[in-house]
């Protein structure tokens, strides 16, 4: 699913315009981004947890040439699904 399909789905389910649904999507995504860029966790009860973590610098190899490539330290984001969404995913697999 892409953003346009999500927007249309939300608009139909909520009985609102596509423009309003798109503003709501932008607002939610901006909120998530502002929390995780401050390296805080965002707990959405029943849905999951967004958090950032640091990945240490390491050395990798180019698989074609075997050349050693330094990989710098960086921040990553992770999402751990909550109990409700895990259950919904598992139930949809059982039906399909």
């Amino acid at each position: 699913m892409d953003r346009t399909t999500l927007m249309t789905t939300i608009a139909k389910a909520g009985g609102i315009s596509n423009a309003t649904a798109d503003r709501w999507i932008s607002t939610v995504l901006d909120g998530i981004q502002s929390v995780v860029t401050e390296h805080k966790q965002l707990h959405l009860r029943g849905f999951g947890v967004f958090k950032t973590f640091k990945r240490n610098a390491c050395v990798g190899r180019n698989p074609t040439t075997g050349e050693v490539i330094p990989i710098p330290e960086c921040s990553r984001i992770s999402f751990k699904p909550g109990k409700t969404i895990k259950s919904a995913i598992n139930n949809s697999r059982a039906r399909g």
Side-chain angles (χ1 to χ4, degrees):
M1 178 181 281
D2 61 9
R3 184 181 176 123
T4 303
T5 308
L6 177 62
M7 175 189 64
T8 304
T9 303
I10 291 171
K12 285 180 183 176
I16 58 177
S17 70
N18 284 351
T20 301
D22 191 47
R23 281 194 302 273
W24 279 104
I25 292 168
S26 292
T27 301
V28 169
L29 295 178
D30 289 347
I32 292 170
Q33 181 176 327
S34 69
V35 170
V36 296
T37 54
E38 294 174 9
H39 299 284
K40 297 179 181 176
Q41 292 185 8
L42 174 61
H43 296 264
L44 299 173
R45 189 174 305 246
F47 186 75
V49 179
F50 292 91
K51 63 181 177 177
T52 56
F53 63 95
K54 287 220 182 268
R55 193 186 84 189
N56 293 329
C58 60
V59 177
R61 287 196 183 271
N62 181 324
T64 305
T65 65
E67 177 186 4
V68 175
I69 302 169
I71 301 171
E73 179 181 272
C74 63
S75 293
R76 297 286 189 188
I77 185 171
S78 69
F79 173 73
K80 182 179 178 186
K83 187 176 181 180
T84 305
I85 196 166
K86 279 184 190 177
S87 176
I89 291 168
N90 288 327
N91 289 337
S92 70
R93 285 186 185 161
R95 289 185 301 236

